[in-house]
Amino acid sequence: MTTRESVSAVNRFGLGAAPGQLARIGDPRAWLHAQLRGDGAQARFAGLPASLDYVRREADYYRERQAARRQGESAKDVANFGQRFREDQLHEFGRRYQVAVASDQGFVERLVRFWSNHFAISIDKRAAALYAAPMEREAIRPHVLSNYADLLLAVETHPGMLRYLDNVRSVGNDSPLAQRARRRRARADGDAPKREPGLNENLAREILELHTLGVDGGYAQADVTELARAITGWGVPTTRELAAGRASSAFVFRAAAHEGGTRQVVGRRYAEGGLEQGRAILADLAAHPSTARHLSYKLARHFVGDTPPPALVARLTAAWQRSNGDLPTVYAALIDAPEAWGEGARKFKTPDEFVVSALRASGATPGDKPRALIALLARMGQPPFTPRSPAGYADEAAEWSGPDGLWKRVQAAQSLSESAPAARVDALATARELFADALDADTAGALRRAESPRDGLALLFASPAFQWRC
């Protein structure tokens, strides 16, 4: 055991040291292994609405708007979507950051955030706006320490992902629903859908390219189309189903929209089986060697360095394949890998990691509705759940270390020091909590020369030592 390894355990594997945490660790590897036994934070999300509650409330909202239009009222007479649900989003964000700042299981919290970014959805798309945070706590967190196949299935059947990547609108071209729509259009039925329903490949493409095999994982366009057909009918309860009381889950399999028949995906043939056909394909994709390589690389890059050692990636890939995608086995291989503790292992913090680690260091607690925190992250370029694409936020230093990004960090450091509790503004004491005796002499000297305690804390947060997860 060394001090440097304890600092790495809390900062690079975790979300940053909280007051007194370094002194409690003991053996850093054993401390990380112990976290793989279970996520103790799940209960802290109790009381937040389930996704099905949001589906119902969203349907109520659109019914109110339609009723207002029928009565000749302006849409402005009904609160807009943002006004109606902004408080719910803030409560979700507040709980998420409160758990991250207070957790003693920083490794598990980092893993939750890693997979949340891997399965990125954006609240910029209104159809998914209410479901990003619930997807993290309902689908990702419960499976972060299970088999990857379980995690994959939970995410791909969550309303957040189904709506963000348009699978709720995907209908098999030869499904009963599509055939009925064509007959109604041929009869010029006034109630026929204005557009002919059809196949949407967005979710299938991202499952193969981002969530499992990777862009070079050995699949072709025909595999995308076949997978898209297999998961037709995977959707969310409709307004009519909700009104009839037929919805007991936020996920529904709509057999009438499903494209029947056998499917062939990545060289394997799958018999017709309705919902089970898509499940079987996902299970095989989760254990595929390309998935093992793709996700082992991402884990190694996230925890060790932007260009991870090939030997480490190979070791994690072997653990993935040997365990058939058992995630704790892969995490354990990462903890035990010598490359994970080498001198060159370090990562530049993203804005979210920077802010969370500063809050943990200062002992500050985010509020239930953390407007200022969200605004700060937006100014730094990483508002929660708002990546520019399904690929998620970048996980490399070059994306976050440009001149503009660094200048905003200096400003954020000042803001975070001003909001720190009065009892936690001694910069040198805070530095000892974060780095023990491993703080470099230049940074320590600058802290001693600071004009005030809060200036010293801002200097600490803005220092290169704090910007990196070493």
Side-chain angles (χ1 to χ4, degrees), residues 236-272:
V236 176
T238 63
T239 302
R240 184 173 298 179
E241 290 165 338
L242 291 167
R246 296 201 300 269
S248 58
S249 165
F251 169 76
V252 296
F253 174 68
R254 201 161 283 111
H258 180 64
E259 180 85 16
T262 60
R263 306 265 77 89
Q264 182 151 336
V265 180
V266 196
R268 290 198 177 188
R269 192 173 181 82
Y270 298 87
E272 164 59 38

PDB file of all heavy atoms in Angstrom, residues 236-272:
ATOM      1  N   VAL A 236     -43.460   2.058 -25.923  1.00  0.00           N
ATOM      2  CA  VAL A 236     -43.929   2.692 -24.693  1.00  0.00           C
ATOM      3  C   VAL A 236     -45.459   2.732 -24.765  1.00  0.00           C
ATOM      4  O   VAL A 236     -46.009   2.836 -25.869  1.00  0.00           O
ATOM      5  CB  VAL A 236     -43.344   4.126 -24.597  1.00  0.00           C
ATOM      6  CG1 VAL A 236     -43.866   4.863 -23.383  1.00  0.00           C
ATOM      7  CG2 VAL A 236     -41.808   4.059 -24.558  1.00  0.00           C
ATOM      8  N   PRO A 237     -46.160   2.635 -23.638  1.00  0.00           N
ATOM      9  CA  PRO A 237     -47.626   2.659 -23.685  1.00  0.00           C
ATOM     10  C   PRO A 237     -48.162   3.900 -24.404  1.00  0.00           C
ATOM     11  O   PRO A 237     -47.653   5.005 -24.217  1.00  0.00           O
ATOM     12  CB  PRO A 237     -48.028   2.671 -22.202  1.00  0.00           C
ATOM     13  CG  PRO A 237     -46.882   2.081 -21.489  1.00  0.00           C
ATOM     14  CD  PRO A 237     -45.660   2.464 -22.256  1.00  0.00           C
ATOM     15  N   THR A 238     -49.192   3.683 -25.227  1.00  0.00           N
ATOM     16  CA  THR A 238     -49.820   4.810 -25.910  1.00  0.00           C
ATOM     17  C   THR A 238     -50.825   5.485 -24.980  1.00  0.00           C
ATOM     18  O   THR A 238     -51.213   4.929 -23.936  1.00  0.00           O
ATOM     19  CB  THR A 238     -50.561   4.328 -27.158  1.00  0.00           C
ATOM     20  OG1 THR A 238     -51.620   3.433 -26.735  1.00  0.00           O
ATOM     21  CG2 THR A 238     -49.625   3.597 -28.114  1.00  0.00           C
ATOM     22  N   THR A 239     -51.274   6.656 -25.399  1.00  0.00           N
ATOM     23  CA  THR A 239     -52.278   7.386 -24.621  1.00  0.00           C
ATOM     24  C   THR A 239     -53.540   6.545 -24.452  1.00  0.00           C
ATOM     25  O   THR A 239     -54.143   6.503 -23.380  1.00  0.00           O
ATOM     26  CB  THR A 239     -52.611   8.702 -25.337  1.00  0.00           C
ATOM     27  OG1 THR A 239     -51.406   9.461 -25.478  1.00  0.00           O
ATOM     28  CG2 THR A 239     -53.627   9.510 -24.551  1.00  0.00           C
ATOM     29  N   ARG A 240     -53.925   5.837 -25.550  1.00  0.00           N
ATOM     30  CA  ARG A 240     -55.129   5.005 -25.478  1.00  0.00           C
ATOM     31  C   ARG A 240     -54.942   3.859 -24.489  1.00  0.00           C
ATOM     32  O   ARG A 240     -55.849   3.549 -23.713  1.00  0.00           O
ATOM     33  CB  ARG A 240     -55.428   4.462 -26.875  1.00  0.00           C
ATOM     34  CG  ARG A 240     -56.715   3.658 -26.965  1.00  0.00           C
ATOM     35  CD  ARG A 240     -57.033   3.290 -28.404  1.00  0.00           C
ATOM     36  NE  ARG A 240     -57.242   4.475 -29.224  1.00  0.00           N
ATOM     37  CZ  ARG A 240     -57.512   4.446 -30.524  1.00  0.00           C
ATOM     38  NH1 ARG A 240     -57.564   3.283 -31.155  1.00  0.00           N
ATOM     39  NH2 ARG A 240     -57.684   5.558 -31.209  1.00  0.00           N
ATOM     40  N   GLU A 241     -53.768   3.220 -24.484  1.00  0.00           N
ATOM     41  CA  GLU A 241     -53.526   2.118 -23.553  1.00  0.00           C
ATOM     42  C   GLU A 241     -53.517   2.617 -22.107  1.00  0.00           C
ATOM     43  O   GLU A 241     -53.998   1.936 -21.202  1.00  0.00           O
ATOM     44  CB  GLU A 241     -52.196   1.433 -23.895  1.00  0.00           C
ATOM     45  CG  GLU A 241     -52.243   0.641 -25.195  1.00  0.00           C
ATOM     46  CD  GLU A 241     -50.862   0.267 -25.712  1.00  0.00           C
ATOM     47  OE1 GLU A 241     -49.871   0.945 -25.329  1.00  0.00           O
ATOM     48  OE2 GLU A 241     -50.772  -0.678 -26.505  1.00  0.00           O
ATOM     49  N   LEU A 242     -52.972   3.815 -21.907  1.00  0.00           N
ATOM     50  CA  LEU A 242     -52.949   4.380 -20.558  1.00  0.00           C
ATOM     51  C   LEU A 242     -54.364   4.672 -20.086  1.00  0.00           C
ATOM     52  O   LEU A 242     -54.743   4.370 -18.944  1.00  0.00           O
ATOM     53  CB  LEU A 242     -52.119   5.671 -20.549  1.00  0.00           C
ATOM     54  CG  LEU A 242     -50.612   5.507 -20.769  1.00  0.00           C
ATOM     55  CD1 LEU A 242     -49.978   6.857 -21.065  1.00  0.00           C
ATOM     56  CD2 LEU A 242     -49.948   4.876 -19.547  1.00  0.00           C
ATOM     57  N   ALA A 243     -55.175   5.269 -20.974  1.00  0.00           N
ATOM     58  CA  ALA A 243     -56.549   5.621 -20.595  1.00  0.00           C
ATOM     59  C   ALA A 243     -57.377   4.376 -20.285  1.00  0.00           C
ATOM     60  O   ALA A 243     -58.266   4.410 -19.434  1.00  0.00           O
ATOM     61  CB  ALA A 243     -57.192   6.428 -21.724  1.00  0.00           C
ATOM     62  N   ALA A 244     -57.078   3.273 -20.972  1.00  0.00           N
ATOM     63  CA  ALA A 244     -57.823   2.029 -20.763  1.00  0.00           C
ATOM     64  C   ALA A 244     -57.307   1.248 -19.561  1.00  0.00           C
ATOM     65  O   ALA A 244     -57.832   0.179 -19.243  1.00  0.00           O
ATOM     66  CB  ALA A 244     -57.748   1.169 -22.023  1.00  0.00           C
ATOM     67  N   GLY A 245     -56.267   1.757 -18.913  1.00  0.00           N
ATOM     68  CA  GLY A 245     -55.719   1.081 -17.735  1.00  0.00           C
ATOM     69  C   GLY A 245     -54.966  -0.189 -18.070  1.00  0.00           C
ATOM     70  O   GLY A 245     -54.819  -1.070 -17.223  1.00  0.00           O
ATOM     71  N   ARG A 246     -54.463  -0.277 -19.319  1.00  0.00           N
ATOM     72  CA  ARG A 246     -53.787  -1.513 -19.725  1.00  0.00           C
ATOM     73  C   ARG A 246     -52.270  -1.437 -19.563  1.00  0.00           C
ATOM     74  O   ARG A 246     -51.579  -2.375 -19.928  1.00  0.00           O
ATOM     75  CB  ARG A 246     -54.115  -1.826 -21.192  1.00  0.00           C
ATOM     76  CG  ARG A 246     -55.583  -2.105 -21.465  1.00  0.00           C
ATOM     77  CD  ARG A 246     -55.764  -2.896 -22.762  1.00  0.00           C
ATOM     78  NE  ARG A 246     -55.251  -2.183 -23.912  1.00  0.00           N
ATOM     79  CZ  ARG A 246     -55.957  -1.361 -24.666  1.00  0.00           C
ATOM     80  NH1 ARG A 246     -57.220  -1.132 -24.378  1.00  0.00           N
ATOM     81  NH2 ARG A 246     -55.421  -0.765 -25.705  1.00  0.00           N
ATOM     82  N   ALA A 247     -51.758  -0.344 -19.015  1.00  0.00           N
ATOM     83  CA  ALA A 247     -50.299  -0.199 -18.902  1.00  0.00           C
ATOM     84  C   ALA A 247     -49.845  -0.463 -17.468  1.00  0.00           C
ATOM     85  O   ALA A 247     -50.261   0.227 -16.547  1.00  0.00           O
ATOM     86  CB  ALA A 247     -49.884   1.200 -19.329  1.00  0.00           C
ATOM     87  N   SER A 248     -49.011  -1.473 -17.308  1.00  0.00           N
ATOM     88  CA  SER A 248     -48.447  -1.752 -15.980  1.00  0.00           C
ATOM     89  C   SER A 248     -46.938  -1.560 -15.970  1.00  0.00           C
ATOM     90  O   SER A 248     -46.287  -1.757 -14.956  1.00  0.00           O
ATOM     91  CB  SER A 248     -48.777  -3.192 -15.563  1.00  0.00           C
ATOM     92  OG  SER A 248     -48.263  -4.106 -16.519  1.00  0.00           O
ATOM     93  N   SER A 249     -46.380  -1.205 -17.124  1.00  0.00           N
ATOM     94  CA  SER A 249     -44.937  -1.009 -17.240  1.00  0.00           C
ATOM     95  C   SER A 249     -44.684   0.088 -18.270  1.00  0.00           C
ATOM     96  O   SER A 249     -45.514   0.328 -19.157  1.00  0.00           O
ATOM     97  CB  SER A 249     -44.272  -2.322 -17.696  1.00  0.00           C
ATOM     98  OG  SER A 249     -42.950  -2.089 -18.141  1.00  0.00           O
ATOM     99  N   ALA A 250     -43.525   0.741 -18.164  1.00  0.00           N
ATOM    100  CA  ALA A 250     -43.171   1.776 -19.139  1.00  0.00           C
ATOM    101  C   ALA A 250     -42.677   1.173 -20.434  1.00  0.00           C
ATOM    102  O   ALA A 250     -42.430   1.894 -21.407  1.00  0.00           O
ATOM    103  CB  ALA A 250     -42.108   2.701 -18.557  1.00  0.00           C
ATOM    104  N   PHE A 251     -42.493  -0.162 -20.470  1.00  0.00           N
ATOM    105  CA  PHE A 251     -42.129  -0.852 -21.712  1.00  0.00           C
ATOM    106  C   PHE A 251     -43.280  -1.746 -22.134  1.00  0.00           C
ATOM    107  O   PHE A 251     -43.880  -2.443 -21.297  1.00  0.00           O
ATOM    108  CB  PHE A 251     -40.880  -1.710 -21.502  1.00  0.00           C
ATOM    109  CG  PHE A 251     -40.591  -2.644 -22.663  1.00  0.00           C
ATOM    110  CD1 PHE A 251     -40.048  -2.150 -23.840  1.00  0.00           C
ATOM    111  CD2 PHE A 251     -40.895  -4.002 -22.586  1.00  0.00           C
ATOM    112  CE1 PHE A 251     -39.798  -2.998 -24.916  1.00  0.00           C
ATOM    113  CE2 PHE A 251     -40.641  -4.852 -23.652  1.00  0.00           C
ATOM    114  CZ  PHE A 251     -40.092  -4.343 -24.827  1.00  0.00           C
ATOM    115  N   VAL A 252     -43.605  -1.730 -23.410  1.00  0.00           N
ATOM    116  CA  VAL A 252     -44.598  -2.662 -23.934  1.00  0.00           C
ATOM    117  C   VAL A 252     -44.048  -3.312 -25.202  1.00  0.00           C
ATOM    118  O   VAL A 252     -43.279  -2.690 -25.953  1.00  0.00           O
ATOM    119  CB  VAL A 252     -45.939  -1.966 -24.272  1.00  0.00           C
ATOM    120  CG1 VAL A 252     -46.582  -1.396 -23.029  1.00  0.00           C
ATOM    121  CG2 VAL A 252     -45.759  -0.892 -25.325  1.00  0.00           C
ATOM    122  N   PHE A 253     -44.419  -4.549 -25.398  1.00  0.00           N
ATOM    123  CA  PHE A 253     -44.144  -5.207 -26.684  1.00  0.00           C
ATOM    124  C   PHE A 253     -45.459  -5.253 -27.443  1.00  0.00           C
ATOM    125  O   PHE A 253     -46.435  -5.855 -26.983  1.00  0.00           O
ATOM    126  CB  PHE A 253     -43.603  -6.628 -26.479  1.00  0.00           C
ATOM    127  CG  PHE A 253     -43.450  -7.373 -27.775  1.00  0.00           C
ATOM    128  CD1 PHE A 253     -42.497  -6.982 -28.709  1.00  0.00           C
ATOM    129  CD2 PHE A 253     -44.285  -8.439 -28.086  1.00  0.00           C
ATOM    130  CE1 PHE A 253     -42.369  -7.656 -29.925  1.00  0.00           C
ATOM    131  CE2 PHE A 253     -44.149  -9.121 -29.291  1.00  0.00           C
ATOM    132  CZ  PHE A 253     -43.194  -8.720 -30.213  1.00  0.00           C
ATOM    133  N   ARG A 254     -45.457  -4.577 -28.582  1.00  0.00           N
ATOM    134  CA  ARG A 254     -46.685  -4.449 -29.383  1.00  0.00           C
ATOM    135  C   ARG A 254     -46.576  -5.447 -30.549  1.00  0.00           C
ATOM    136  O   ARG A 254     -45.953  -5.156 -31.578  1.00  0.00           O
ATOM    137  CB  ARG A 254     -46.798  -3.009 -29.866  1.00  0.00           C
ATOM    138  CG  ARG A 254     -48.182  -2.592 -30.263  1.00  0.00           C
ATOM    139  CD  ARG A 254     -48.333  -1.074 -30.292  1.00  0.00           C
ATOM    140  NE  ARG A 254     -48.474  -0.507 -28.974  1.00  0.00           N
ATOM    141  CZ  ARG A 254     -47.564   0.259 -28.373  1.00  0.00           C
ATOM    142  NH1 ARG A 254     -46.442   0.559 -29.002  1.00  0.00           N
ATOM    143  NH2 ARG A 254     -47.773   0.730 -27.166  1.00  0.00           N
ATOM    144  N   ALA A 255     -47.206  -6.619 -30.386  1.00  0.00           N
ATOM    145  CA  ALA A 255     -47.063  -7.692 -31.375  1.00  0.00           C
ATOM    146  C   ALA A 255     -47.547  -7.262 -32.751  1.00  0.00           C
ATOM    147  O   ALA A 255     -46.989  -7.687 -33.774  1.00  0.00           O
ATOM    148  CB  ALA A 255     -47.831  -8.936 -30.907  1.00  0.00           C
ATOM    149  N   ALA A 256     -48.561  -6.394 -32.812  1.00  0.00           N
ATOM    150  CA  ALA A 256     -49.109  -5.986 -34.110  1.00  0.00           C
ATOM    151  C   ALA A 256     -48.115  -5.164 -34.927  1.00  0.00           C
ATOM    152  O   ALA A 256     -48.232  -5.095 -36.155  1.00  0.00           O
ATOM    153  CB  ALA A 256     -50.387  -5.174 -33.890  1.00  0.00           C
ATOM    154  N   ALA A 257     -47.145  -4.529 -34.255  1.00  0.00           N
ATOM    155  CA  ALA A 257     -46.149  -3.721 -34.971  1.00  0.00           C
ATOM    156  C   ALA A 257     -44.878  -4.508 -35.274  1.00  0.00           C
ATOM    157  O   ALA A 257     -43.976  -3.997 -35.950  1.00  0.00           O
ATOM    158  CB  ALA A 257     -45.801  -2.480 -34.158  1.00  0.00           C
ATOM    159  N   HIS A 258     -44.824  -5.750 -34.785  1.00  0.00           N
ATOM    160  CA  HIS A 258     -43.594  -6.543 -34.917  1.00  0.00           C
ATOM    161  C   HIS A 258     -43.513  -7.229 -36.276  1.00  0.00           C
ATOM    162  O   HIS A 258     -44.509  -7.750 -36.781  1.00  0.00           O
ATOM    163  CB  HIS A 258     -43.557  -7.606 -33.810  1.00  0.00           C
ATOM    164  CG  HIS A 258     -42.342  -8.470 -33.837  1.00  0.00           C
ATOM    165  ND1 HIS A 258     -41.071  -7.975 -33.623  1.00  0.00           N
ATOM    166  CD2 HIS A 258     -42.201  -9.800 -34.070  1.00  0.00           C
ATOM    167  CE1 HIS A 258     -40.195  -8.970 -33.713  1.00  0.00           C
ATOM    168  NE2 HIS A 258     -40.853 -10.083 -33.993  1.00  0.00           N
ATOM    169  N   GLU A 259     -42.310  -7.200 -36.835  1.00  0.00           N
ATOM    170  CA  GLU A 259     -42.047  -7.882 -38.109  1.00  0.00           C
ATOM    171  C   GLU A 259     -41.728  -9.344 -37.813  1.00  0.00           C
ATOM    172  O   GLU A 259     -40.681  -9.649 -37.239  1.00  0.00           O
ATOM    173  CB  GLU A 259     -40.851  -7.220 -38.811  1.00  0.00           C
ATOM    174  CG  GLU A 259     -40.481  -7.841 -40.143  1.00  0.00           C
ATOM    175  CD  GLU A 259     -41.309  -7.257 -41.278  1.00  0.00           C
ATOM    176  OE1 GLU A 259     -41.924  -6.195 -41.074  1.00  0.00           O
ATOM    177  OE2 GLU A 259     -41.343  -7.871 -42.352  1.00  0.00           O
ATOM    178  N   GLY A 260     -42.633 -10.224 -38.173  1.00  0.00           N
ATOM    179  CA  GLY A 260     -42.424 -11.639 -37.898  1.00  0.00           C
ATOM    180  C   GLY A 260     -41.375 -12.259 -38.819  1.00  0.00           C
ATOM    181  O   GLY A 260     -40.888 -11.635 -39.752  1.00  0.00           O
ATOM    182  N   GLY A 261     -41.043 -13.503 -38.521  1.00  0.00           N
ATOM    183  CA  GLY A 261     -40.098 -14.230 -39.373  1.00  0.00           C
ATOM    184  C   GLY A 261     -38.764 -14.449 -38.700  1.00  0.00           C
ATOM    185  O   GLY A 261     -38.471 -13.896 -37.639  1.00  0.00           O
ATOM    186  N   THR A 262     -37.947 -15.303 -39.345  1.00  0.00           N
ATOM    187  CA  THR A 262     -36.605 -15.544 -38.824  1.00  0.00           C
ATOM    188  C   THR A 262     -35.711 -14.357 -39.175  1.00  0.00           C
ATOM    189  O   THR A 262     -35.930 -13.657 -40.166  1.00  0.00           O
ATOM    190  CB  THR A 262     -36.011 -16.828 -39.408  1.00  0.00           C
ATOM    191  OG1 THR A 262     -35.955 -16.696 -40.841  1.00  0.00           O
ATOM    192  CG2 THR A 262     -36.856 -18.026 -39.042  1.00  0.00           C
ATOM    193  N   ARG A 263     -34.681 -14.148 -38.380  1.00  0.00           N
ATOM    194  CA  ARG A 263     -33.730 -13.045 -38.606  1.00  0.00           C
ATOM    195  C   ARG A 263     -32.320 -13.619 -38.581  1.00  0.00           C
ATOM    196  O   ARG A 263     -32.037 -14.593 -37.869  1.00  0.00           O
ATOM    197  CB  ARG A 263     -33.847 -11.974 -37.520  1.00  0.00           C
ATOM    198  CG  ARG A 263     -35.237 -11.406 -37.301  1.00  0.00           C
ATOM    199  CD  ARG A 263     -35.444 -10.121 -38.087  1.00  0.00           C
ATOM    200  NE  ARG A 263     -35.671 -10.337 -39.473  1.00  0.00           N
ATOM    201  CZ  ARG A 263     -36.896 -10.523 -40.009  1.00  0.00           C
ATOM    202  NH1 ARG A 263     -37.950 -10.528 -39.260  1.00  0.00           N
ATOM    203  NH2 ARG A 263     -37.019 -10.703 -41.298  1.00  0.00           N
ATOM    204  N   GLN A 264     -31.412 -12.991 -39.334  1.00  0.00           N
ATOM    205  CA  GLN A 264     -30.001 -13.365 -39.302  1.00  0.00           C
ATOM    206  C   GLN A 264     -29.185 -12.126 -38.980  1.00  0.00           C
ATOM    207  O   GLN A 264     -29.190 -11.151 -39.736  1.00  0.00           O
ATOM    208  CB  GLN A 264     -29.557 -13.946 -40.641  1.00  0.00           C
ATOM    209  CG  GLN A 264     -28.101 -14.394 -40.619  1.00  0.00           C
ATOM    210  CD  GLN A 264     -27.820 -15.535 -41.576  1.00  0.00           C
ATOM    211  OE1 GLN A 264     -28.721 -16.295 -41.929  1.00  0.00           O
ATOM    212  NE2 GLN A 264     -26.576 -15.656 -42.003  1.00  0.00           N
ATOM    213  N   VAL A 265     -28.492 -12.160 -37.841  1.00  0.00           N
ATOM    214  CA  VAL A 265     -27.725 -11.007 -37.373  1.00  0.00           C
ATOM    215  C   VAL A 265     -26.310 -11.461 -37.019  1.00  0.00           C
ATOM    216  O   VAL A 265     -26.125 -12.370 -36.203  1.00  0.00           O
ATOM    217  CB  VAL A 265     -28.401 -10.352 -36.135  1.00  0.00           C
ATOM    218  CG1 VAL A 265     -27.580  -9.148 -35.662  1.00  0.00           C
ATOM    219  CG2 VAL A 265     -29.825  -9.915 -36.468  1.00  0.00           C
ATOM    220  N   VAL A 266     -25.322 -10.839 -37.635  1.00  0.00           N
ATOM    221  CA  VAL A 266     -23.907 -11.119 -37.387  1.00  0.00           C
ATOM    222  C   VAL A 266     -23.635 -12.626 -37.450  1.00  0.00           C
ATOM    223  O   VAL A 266     -23.012 -13.218 -36.568  1.00  0.00           O
ATOM    224  CB  VAL A 266     -23.424 -10.516 -36.046  1.00  0.00           C
ATOM    225  CG1 VAL A 266     -21.899 -10.479 -35.986  1.00  0.00           C
ATOM    226  CG2 VAL A 266     -23.950  -9.107 -35.855  1.00  0.00           C
ATOM    227  N   GLY A 267     -24.154 -13.224 -38.495  1.00  0.00           N
ATOM    228  CA  GLY A 267     -23.837 -14.623 -38.755  1.00  0.00           C
ATOM    229  C   GLY A 267     -24.660 -15.648 -38.003  1.00  0.00           C
ATOM    230  O   GLY A 267     -24.447 -16.852 -38.172  1.00  0.00           O
ATOM    231  N   ARG A 268     -25.591 -15.223 -37.175  1.00  0.00           N
ATOM    232  CA  ARG A 268     -26.419 -16.169 -36.427  1.00  0.00           C
ATOM    233  C   ARG A 268     -27.878 -16.041 -36.869  1.00  0.00           C
ATOM    234  O   ARG A 268     -28.352 -14.944 -37.143  1.00  0.00           O
ATOM    235  CB  ARG A 268     -26.315 -15.923 -34.926  1.00  0.00           C
ATOM    236  CG  ARG A 268     -24.976 -16.296 -34.346  1.00  0.00           C
ATOM    237  CD  ARG A 268     -25.053 -16.454 -32.845  1.00  0.00           C
ATOM    238  NE  ARG A 268     -23.775 -16.877 -32.291  1.00  0.00           N
ATOM    239  CZ  ARG A 268     -23.590 -17.240 -31.040  1.00  0.00           C
ATOM    240  NH1 ARG A 268     -24.604 -17.231 -30.207  1.00  0.00           N
ATOM    241  NH2 ARG A 268     -22.398 -17.603 -30.607  1.00  0.00           N
ATOM    242  N   ARG A 269     -28.549 -17.181 -36.865  1.00  0.00           N
ATOM    243  CA  ARG A 269     -29.936 -17.225 -37.286  1.00  0.00           C
ATOM    244  C   ARG A 269     -30.832 -17.324 -36.050  1.00  0.00           C
ATOM    245  O   ARG A 269     -30.549 -18.106 -35.133  1.00  0.00           O
ATOM    246  CB  ARG A 269     -30.145 -18.440 -38.191  1.00  0.00           C
ATOM    247  CG  ARG A 269     -31.459 -18.461 -38.932  1.00  0.00           C
ATOM    248  CD  ARG A 269     -31.458 -19.634 -39.924  1.00  0.00           C
ATOM    249  NE  ARG A 269     -32.685 -19.701 -40.695  1.00  0.00           N
ATOM    250  CZ  ARG A 269     -32.926 -18.970 -41.783  1.00  0.00           C
ATOM    251  NH1 ARG A 269     -32.018 -18.114 -42.212  1.00  0.00           N
ATOM    252  NH2 ARG A 269     -34.067 -19.079 -42.438  1.00  0.00           N
ATOM    253  N   TYR A 270     -31.903 -16.549 -36.047  1.00  0.00           N
ATOM    254  CA  TYR A 270     -32.808 -16.508 -34.894  1.00  0.00           C
ATOM    255  C   TYR A 270     -34.223 -16.814 -35.366  1.00  0.00           C
ATOM    256  O   TYR A 270     -34.765 -16.114 -36.238  1.00  0.00           O
ATOM    257  CB  TYR A 270     -32.764 -15.134 -34.224  1.00  0.00           C
ATOM    258  CG  TYR A 270     -31.401 -14.798 -33.672  1.00  0.00           C
ATOM    259  CD1 TYR A 270     -30.448 -14.188 -34.483  1.00  0.00           C
ATOM    260  CD2 TYR A 270     -31.062 -15.123 -32.365  1.00  0.00           C
ATOM    261  CE1 TYR A 270     -29.177 -13.896 -33.991  1.00  0.00           C
ATOM    262  CE2 TYR A 270     -29.796 -14.845 -31.861  1.00  0.00           C
ATOM    263  CZ  TYR A 270     -28.852 -14.225 -32.684  1.00  0.00           C
ATOM    264  OH  TYR A 270     -27.608 -13.954 -32.194  1.00  0.00           O
ATOM    265  N   ALA A 271     -34.829 -17.861 -34.774  1.00  0.00           N
ATOM    266  CA  ALA A 271     -36.182 -18.248 -35.151  1.00  0.00           C
ATOM    267  C   ALA A 271     -37.183 -17.193 -34.700  1.00  0.00           C
ATOM    268  O   ALA A 271     -36.934 -16.431 -33.752  1.00  0.00           O
ATOM    269  CB  ALA A 271     -36.520 -19.598 -34.520  1.00  0.00           C
ATOM    270  N   GLU A 272     -38.306 -17.140 -35.379  1.00  0.00           N
ATOM    271  CA  GLU A 272     -39.385 -16.238 -34.966  1.00  0.00           C
ATOM    272  C   GLU A 272     -39.738 -16.503 -33.502  1.00  0.00           C
ATOM    273  O   GLU A 272     -39.879 -17.648 -33.091  1.00  0.00           O
ATOM    274  CB  GLU A 272     -40.608 -16.470 -35.856  1.00  0.00           C
ATOM    275  CG  GLU A 272     -41.904 -15.889 -35.315  1.00  0.00           C
ATOM    276  CD  GLU A 272     -41.830 -14.390 -35.101  1.00  0.00           C
ATOM    277  OE1 GLU A 272     -41.198 -13.705 -35.932  1.00  0.00           O
ATOM    278  OE2 GLU A 272     -42.383 -13.898 -34.110  1.00  0.00           O
TER     279      GLU A 272
END
